Amino acid sequence: MKVLCVASECVPLAKTGGLADVVGALPGALAQLGVEVRVLMPGYPAVKATLSEDTEACEFARLPGGRARAISAQAAGLDAIVLDSPRLFDRPGNLYVGPDGQDWPDNHLRYGALCRAAATIAVSGIGGWRPDVVHLHDWQAGLTAAYLKLGRHPAPPSVLTIHNIAFQGLFPPKVMRPLQLPERGFRASGFEFFGQVGFLKAGLVYADRITTVSPAYARELTRPEFGMGLEGVIASRRAEVQGILNGIDLDLWNPESDANIAARYSAEAPARKAVNRLALARSFNLDADAPGPMFCVVSRLTRQKGLDLLLEILPRLIARGACLALLGSGDADLENAFRTAAADHPGRVGVVIGWDEPLSHLMQAGADAIVVPSRFEPCGLTQLYGLRYGTLPVVSRTGGLGDTVIDANEAALRAGVATGFQFSPVSALPLADAIDRACDAFADKRLWSTMTCRAMRQPVGWAASAEAYARIYSELSGVTA
Ligand code: ADP
Ligand code: GLC
């Protein structure tokens, strides 16, 4: 079984969020099942820098945005196909956003080129390799499904995975010509969305199967509160929509071998987690002797993540003797508010604004608990990393957060299954209540250590979910792995 995976980011080559973690980890898990995956992604400078020498290139004379090449090569251990177009991808800074803080004005060409190249490779192959199935991730890959379905040549089937419906890739109708899109697709039952061209909408309409990254989010997406205007399209394809929970890379995120943390530990020998706690306190200038738990946050700072609620209840968290270490970047207002909170509460609140992969590992290892108070969360990975590192998640009951954390209510405690703390609805008081419950549990040392060891033993890898994807590939293509 051969699968072409199409995505705009992939660990360890390019990352702005969880999409990259998933695209980087899934091929390895699928390989175990006999599925051969090649990842097609843009040739950002950091990606091109890792390419192996034994490459094979194929020329595209007329992609959106002009001439480009696809290079098949090994990149950081992955079988990659890199779309090489310096004009589109050789830029500094963020993948999607220019130095002025606005989306790059030619994002339709950048990701349109990726999708057009994907469709051509899917139909004609590359260096004799032709996929049985095409797997598209998020809006940046969504238009591929339209090129495949509206094209003249027989094409392999496609699967679209929605990682976040808040990002839809909407552009004015004038992009249709440079994107080489046929007029007949510009209708409500095609890629048109409220007068615009929608990349994600194209994927939702033309892909043969739709998946999203948790069962709960699959249900939520049919409701207007979560569907962001696309709930009707998703509901109309209900029979072809499936929620498949994300896993995590158990090698990259392993407290027994993680080179980014101060001391290695495991569920069987958890004592040295305390060394990481001290290192974390030192990094964030926190008082390691404060009596309450050390909470952490590793997150994009956007409204989705609900961190304004955490700011609101910060005085209560501190009154309980707890500390907070936050690593994140995003909206200027939230960045400033957290900087101010750190200045107002020295020793209790520590904040690093920026992107820091190694520090994110130390935080998972050193903190007692991780807070994820999202307003919506398709899956969420930081709570899974938290479980793996014995850092108990405090999460809102939405999307994948609800699917992955078992609330420490009385019944779950009695049954011996609790792994964290959930709250609902997503507002300040219920969050404060969950923080209170976490503080109470932390004060009971036996309970806390039972819960952390249980959390560390949860099956958070890819095994089951990779099988679910492999099953879909087989059903669609008729090929078995
Ligand atoms: P989302 O994709 O919505 O941002 P996820 O929880 O799925 O949320 O994934 C976020 C990923 O990005 C995780 O791997 C997390 O550790 C990482 N991350 C978020 N912010 C930072 C940061 N400031 N520095 C390093 N890693 C970060
Ligand atoms: C998105 C979602 C996040 C999910 C990630 C990977 O960025 O916001 O919830 O974990 O994709 O699927």
Side-chain angles (χ1 to χ4, degrees), residues 17-19 22 163-164 213 246 300 304-305 377-381:
L19 167 65
V22 171
H163 293 264
N164 194 334
V213 290
N246 283 338
R300 292 186 288 119
Q304 171 189 345
K305 300 295 178 179
E377 196 60 76
C379 179
L381 296 176

Side-chain angles (χ1 to χ4, degrees), residues 10 25 84 181 235 253 342 356 388 390 406 459:
C10 173
D84 181 24
L181 287 169
W253 294 89
D356 191 332
R388 175 93 165 130
I406 302 175

Side-chain angles (χ1 to χ4, degrees), residues 41-109:
M41 68 181 300
Y44 310 116
V47 177
K48 281 172 64 180
T50 65
L51 294 185
S52 58
E53 303 228 318
D54 51 334
T55 60
E56 208 172 282
C58 128
E59 293 281 335
F60 297 99
R62 258 189 80 243
L63 281 190
R67 180 179 288 278
R69 299 189 305 159
I71 307 171
S72 289
Q74 286 279 310
L78 282 166
D79 289 323
I81 305 174
V82 169
L83 185 62
D84 181 24
S85 168
R87 196 179 326 110
L88 296 178
F89 299 120
D90 189 355
R91 298 182 189 177
N94 187 284
L95 306 183
Y96 313 118
V97 178
D100 58 356
Q102 304 293 314
D103 286 355
W104 294 111
D106 58 350
N107 271 350
H108 61 290
L109 293 178

Side-chain angles (χ1 to χ4, degrees), residues 86-284:
R87 196 179 326 110
L88 296 178
F89 299 120
D90 189 355
R91 298 182 189 177
N94 187 284
L95 306 183
Y96 313 118
V97 178
D100 58 356
Q102 304 293 314
D103 286 355
W104 294 111
D106 58 350
N107 271 350
H108 61 290
L109 293 178
R110 300 173 76 223
Y111 297 104
L114 181 72
C115 294
R116 195 86 186 90
T120 306
I121 292 169
V123 169
S124 309
I126 182 166
W129 186 89
R130 189 173 176 271
D132 301 303
V133 177
V134 187
H135 191 160
L136 312 171
H137 293 272
D138 266 355
W139 76 263
Q140 294 90 342
L143 206 57
T144 311
Y147 289 127
L148 292 173
K149 271 274 156 31
L150 300 174
R152 269 171 290 149
H153 305 287
S158 60
V159 185
L160 171 78
T161 296
I162 308 166
H163 293 264
N164 194 334
I165 206 146
F167 304 109
Q168 300 189 355
L170 294 174
F171 302 96
K174 67 173 188 219
V175 304
M176 264 199 293
R177 242 177 112 94
L179 291 178
Q180 306 156 17
L181 287 169
E183 282 288 338
R184 67 193 152 89
F186 193 72
R187 51 191 160 94
S189 58
F191 51 68
E192 186 264 354
F193 186 66
F194 290 94
Q196 299 204 278
V197 172
F199 275 46
L200 188 67
K201 170 88 188 289
L204 292 175
V205 168
Y206 295 112
D208 297 289
R209 242 5 132 77
I210 299 167
T211 72
T212 189
V213 290
S214 69
Y217 195 56
R219 292 190 298 273
E220 289 170 352
L221 279 177
T222 59
R223 301 188 357 224
E225 310 91 279
F226 293 97
M228 303 196 189
L230 289 166
E231 59 277 4
V233 185
I234 291 170
S236 74
R237 301 211 53 194
R238 206 183 301 258
E240 293 124 340
V241 177
Q242 188 178 338
I244 302 176
L245 201 61
N246 283 338
I248 65 170
D249 186 321
L250 296 177
D251 296 326
L252 269 183
W253 294 89
N254 182 357
E256 286 186 69
S257 58
D258 193 330
N260 293 307
I261 68 179
R264 257 68 53 201
Y265 62 99
S266 65
E268 289 65 45
R272 286 169 66 76
K273 182 166 169 60
V275 179
N276 294 299
R277 192 179 197 271
L278 279 177
L280 176 64
R282 219 172 304 120
S283 297
F284 281 82

Side-chain angles (χ1 to χ4, degrees), residues 400-450:
L401 299 175
D403 281 344
T404 52
V405 176
I406 302 175
D407 180 54
N409 55 44
E410 258 187 65
L413 285 171
R414 222 173 305 121
V417 295
T419 56
F421 306 86
Q422 289 189 356
F423 65 93
S424 173
V426 191
S427 57
L429 277 180
L431 169 60
D433 190 52
I435 293 285
D436 264 341
R437 290 196 294 129
C439 292
D440 291 343
F442 183 75
D444 181 342
K445 292 299 165 212
R446 249 195 42 206
L447 170 63
W448 193 264
S449 86
T450 307

Side-chain angles (χ1 to χ4, degrees), residues 15 17-18 21 298-300 305 327-328 354-356 380-382 385:
K15 168 167 171 177
D21 293 290
V298 180
S299 185
R300 292 186 288 119
K305 300 295 178 179
L327 166 64
W355 188 275
D356 191 332
L381 296 176
T382 62
Y385 299 140

